[in-house]
Amino acid sequence: MKVLIAGGGKAVYFLCRTFLAKGHHVTLVNADSDECIQMARRLKLTVVCGDASDPAILEEAGAYGADAVLAITPRDQDNLAICQLAAMQHHVPQTVALVNDPDNEVVFEQLGVKAFSTARTIASIIEQHTTLDEITNLIPAGEGKVNITEVKLQTDAPVVGKTLRELSLPSDALIAVVLRHTEAIVPRGETQLQAGDRIVLITLPSNHGPVLKAVTGESD
């Protein structure tokens, strides 16, 4: 896959390194000439020095042949422009923009640009960890439309001792995996939950709180 990344900083460095390690071809566009030199020295990728929101720079970087464009600059308006240019002028099939201000996320979506907010994601994880100690992991997926949460069942959890068939979870929620000691179990209706189990929940943002309450017995 050919990936074009616009942005800079350590996060972008590690992102480029991850794509390269998976065998993808990476082109980086960065307006900072010093950082471009450092990235070219440290990683085996193509580096274009310039402003990616400039149509000429985006074309020079090979946007037309890219499979995906990721706009991760500190400026939301630039990220929006980069993704729109990539999609409309260069017909890039996948574009994703970083939204630094979470309030802009809705605007991006309304304009047809896939966006993610690291601030919103981190806030959600911290909030969940501080309110429910049993929660050990939370990953928003599907552009934030789905939550994947790992929960450790305490002895007094209302679901302990029950089979999945006996549970009355809210609709559009699923226990996808039960992690018991070193074993990963794909649960069926007859699978009985035990204290100490770590269950992987699939929920929607609209029912996430009620599902956690039903599983842990704590308030959402």
Side-chain angles (χ1 to χ4, degrees):
M1 182 171 69
K2 294 181 179 179
V3 183
L4 192 156
I5 300 175
K10 288 185 178 179
V12 169
Y13 165 77
F14 289 118
L15 184 61
C16 290
R17 194 177 72 174
T18 299
F19 276 120
L20 291 169
K22 292 183 177 180
H24 301 302
H25 181 275
V26 178
T27 298
L28 173 68
V29 183
N30 190 320
D32 187 320
S33 58
D34 291 337
E35 191 169 348
C36 286
I37 294 172
Q38 291 300 319
M39 291 291 281
R41 287 175 176 172
R42 299 176 69 182
L43 297 174
K44 191 175 181 180
L45 44 61
T46 301
V47 179
V48 175
C49 189
D51 180 356
S53 63
D54 181 337
I57 295 295
L58 206 57
E59 183 174 357
E60 180 185 343
Y64 187 76
D67 298 299
V69 168
L70 310 179
I72 316 176
T73 79
R75 293 165 55 87
D76 285 354
Q77 59 269 42
D78 287 351
N79 293 336
L80 177 62
I82 293 165
C83 286
Q84 288 182 320
L85 283 169
M88 296 177 182
Q89 291 194 7
H90 301 286
H91 307 292
V92 178
Q94 294 291 336
T95 63
V96 181
L98 167 67
V99 176
N100 297 283
D101 181 351
D103 291 342
N104 288 335
E105 194 170 3
V106 174
V107 177
F108 276 51
E109 296 290 343
Q110 290 175 341
L111 293 172
V113 175
K114 294 180 181 177
F116 69 98
S117 165
T118 53
R120 191 183 300 280
T121 301
I122 293 171
S124 176
I125 292 172
I126 292 174
E127 185 179 49
Q128 295 294 344
H129 274 274
T130 55
T131 55
L132 291 171
D133 292 338
E134 298 91 340
I135 295 177
T136 57
N137 200 9
L138 176 63
I139 304 171
E143 301 166 25
K145 296 182 177 63
V146 179
N147 290 327
I148 303 173
T149 309
E150 183 181 317
V151 180
K152 182 179 181 180
L153 299 181
Q154 302 298 320
T155 306
D156 58 351
V159 298
V160 167
K162 293 183 178 180
T163 65
L164 262 60
R165 187 175 290 112
E166 295 172 321
L167 301 183
S168 56
L169 295 179
S171 60
D172 297 325
L174 173 70
I175 296 178
V177 177
V178 176
L179 303 172
R180 181 171 296 160
H181 306 298
T182 59
E183 184 181 8
I185 303 169
V186 177
R188 306 294 181 186
E190 66 276 11
T191 302
Q192 186 179 57
L193 299 176
Q194 300 177 7
D197 283 350
R198 292 183 180 277
I199 61 174
V200 178
L201 287 170
I202 309 294
T203 62
L204 304 179
S206 58
N207 65 20
H208 184 67
V211 172
L212 287 180
K213 182 178 180 180
V215 169
T216 66
E218 297 190 21
S219 59
D220 54 24

